[in-house]
Amino acid sequence: MNLLKICPVCGYSKLSDTPYDECGFPTYIICPCCGFEFGFDDESNGFSFEEYRNKWIANGFVFFNKKKKPHLWNINMLKKQLENIEKVKYKSRFT
Ligand SMILES: [Zn+2]
């Protein structure tokens, strides 16, 4: 498992910590972009990354943390950000 501070749901690459530690335990940080909480939305709510991503995009991909929202946030930025997902190999127990 590569430990990158990239969200496996939306590809946001400036997370404050890695979503899971080296043993695969969730760090319970919340992605500022999609709002996914690692350890809660997967393990407690049962979302796979893909399910959550699809729901979030279908609901308008609202940037969760308004303070960290880029000045320009649109579908093109999202598409570029989603490419980051290929770099991460994180797995929750539900993916
Ligand atoms: Zn995210």
Side-chain angles (χ1 to χ4, degrees):
M1 184 182 296
N2 51 1
L3 294 171
L4 295 172
K5 295 177 180 178
I6 294 176
C7 175
V9 176
C10 70
Y12 185 76
S13 61
K14 295 174 191 160
L15 293 177
S16 60
D17 198 355
T18 58
Y20 301 89
D21 68 15
E22 61 277 2
C23 299
F25 290 105
T27 53
Y28 293 93
I29 61 165
I30 297 174
C31 175
C33 180
C34 67
F36 193 92
E37 182 174 351
F38 304 98
F40 178 72
D41 281 308
D42 46 2
E43 304 209 350
S44 298
N45 284 342
F47 279 111
S48 70
F49 298 148
E50 189 178 13
E51 282 169 345
Y52 191 95
R53 181 187 310 126
N54 290 341
K55 181 169 165 270
W56 177 68
I57 292 173
N59 288 333
F61 55 98
V62 176
F63 209 95
F64 181 75
N65 186 333
K66 303 291 178 232
K67 287 180 187 160
K68 298 202 171 174
K69 184 183 173 189
H71 183 59
L72 190 68
W73 175 241
N74 58 32
I75 189 71
N76 290 327
M77 281 189 73
L78 172 64
K79 280 182 184 166
K80 189 149 181 52
Q81 186 176 288
L82 288 172
E83 292 171 10
N84 292 332
I85 293 170
E86 292 169 27
K87 299 177 194 164
V88 288
K89 301 275 187 263
Y90 289 114
K91 291 222 181 296
S92 81
R93 289 189 286 174
F94 295 91
T95 54

